[in-house]
Amino acid sequence: MRPEKEPGAEVEIWQPDWNCFCCHDSGIVHHYLAALVIDGFDSNLDKLPRCHNPGCYAGGHFDGEVLAPSVDYRLTADICQELDAIERENWRDYVQKKRLTLKVDLSTIGKSLRQCQRTSTEERSARQKHQAVLGKLNGLC
């Protein structure tokens, strides 16, 4: 069964291809999330905060001898889980905003924007112009 095909199911506008919302599968916690838990965090000056979200193994390559001195290991699994939850909520808000901006009122498609109906003279003139355009198009073919 595919839940997105069920009646009334909302289809995602865009589904992210990452599993961990804390680091977006990079292994390093996003700077705006890190700033929430590390006072005065500056991504240009401070060490890279490694993600320890349970189930996220993207940061394993930072644990070697070469990169370890540049990595901040202070964030715990509980902190990363909380940051993941915050980012998931941010994602839901983003998708909701996009849905609202993309929503189109389909009831107006095909309707005339005129406030009143054409008069018989206007209708006759419109038909004549339409026939003239069709005649020119037929002559080109």
Side-chain angles (χ1 to χ4, degrees), residues 39-73:
D39 282 338
F41 178 76
D42 184 345
S43 60
N44 294 321
L45 302 174
D46 294 334
K47 290 183 176 186
L48 303 170
R50 178 157 170 345
C51 178
H52 288 98
N53 197 12
C56 177
Y57 304 104
H61 62 279
F62 291 106
D63 297 337
E65 288 180 33
V66 176
L67 295 175
S70 301
V71 177
D72 184 346
Y73 291 97

Side-chain angles (χ1 to χ4, degrees), residues 12-21 24-25 88 91 95:
E12 284 296 329
I13 295 171
W14 178 71
Q15 184 64 37
D17 59 353
W18 58 81
N19 298 312
C20 179
F21 279 74
H24 295 197
D25 293 343
R88 286 177 191 273
W91 180 258
V95 169

